[in-house]
Amino acid sequence: MPSSSTPLRSFFSKMSGAGTSPLNVSARTALIGFIGGAATISLLALLTDLSSAAWLMAPFGASCVLAFGLWDAPLSQPRNIVGGHLVSTATGLLLFSLFGSSFWVVGLGVGLAIAFMHLTKTTHPPAGADPIVVILAGSSWSFLINPVLIGSIVIVLLALVINNLDKQRRYPKFWI
């Protein structure tokens, strides 16, 4: 019996963690994150109020965390913000148009979105929620343009301005 418990023990030992969080606490980053997130989401909400179109969706809040709080991470770059949202939303819309909104379609949508973002080098964690949003809401293909494309471009534009106002930041790290 000892030999069968060794792989199990090894498996669970991987879950013990190793050390403490590598994240640094910075009042400057917190302030820029606050300003960037508040300005971006407020602008998208204002545009929604002023028009008949929805400019805002919940995953954009998480995109702001990355764009302003972890601006130098690969998953926070413009290619990933815009591309990740487009790839994931298109995946959800395609599956919804083919299969409807069954529980398995939602799961398949998220799984395929992760795979497609990885394969296209557009991984952006907040975009993993996009298939859930579009499938459960029964969104039309126009959702891909507004709010997804336009909203993600707004996030990037504000990230370009706000992040680069700080002399210690350089955003983006890459475009392509």
Side-chain angles (χ1 to χ4, degrees):
M1 269 328 225
S3 63
S4 66
S5 67
T6 304
L8 193 57
R9 187 177 341 195
S10 174
F11 175 76
F12 284 109
S13 72
K14 291 193 243 181
M15 299 176 197
S16 65
T20 59
S21 172
L23 296 176
N24 295 321
V25 174
S26 161
R28 179 186 212 101
T29 297
L31 179 62
I32 294 169
F34 164 74
I35 293 168
T40 302
I41 297 304
S42 293
L43 176 59
L44 291 171
L46 176 65
L47 292 170
T48 298
D49 286 349
L50 295 175
S51 69
S52 60
W55 292 70
L56 190 59
M57 64 176 186
F60 285 166
S63 292
C64 287
V65 172
L66 290 173
F68 301 104
L70 295 167
W71 74 96
D72 56 350
L75 307 181
S76 305
Q77 302 308 304
R79 171 192 177 95
N80 298 77
I81 293 173
V82 176
H85 280 297
L86 285 175
V87 166
S88 294
T89 300
T91 300
L93 289 168
L94 179 63
L95 290 174
F96 175 70
S97 68
L98 292 174
F99 305 113
S101 62
S102 182
F103 72 92
W104 64 270
V105 178
V106 176
L108 182 62
V110 170
L112 285 173
I114 293 168
F116 293 154
M117 283 190 291
H118 181 74
L119 292 171
T120 58
K121 294 184 180 182
T122 59
T123 301
H124 183 64
D130 294 0
I132 299 169
V133 170
V134 298
I135 292 169
L136 293 182
S139 299
S140 68
W141 281 95
S142 64
F143 197 86
L144 191 61
I145 303 302
N146 194 31
V148 175
L149 176 61
I150 295 171
S152 61
I153 289 172
V154 167
I155 292 168
V156 168
L157 290 174
L158 285 171
L160 288 168
V161 172
I162 292 168
N163 283 323
N164 288 313
L165 286 174
D166 183 345
K167 293 178 183 182
Q168 296 177 2
R169 292 185 180 201
R170 183 181 178 131
Y171 182 84
K173 294 293 183 183
F174 60 86
W175 283 96
I176 300 195

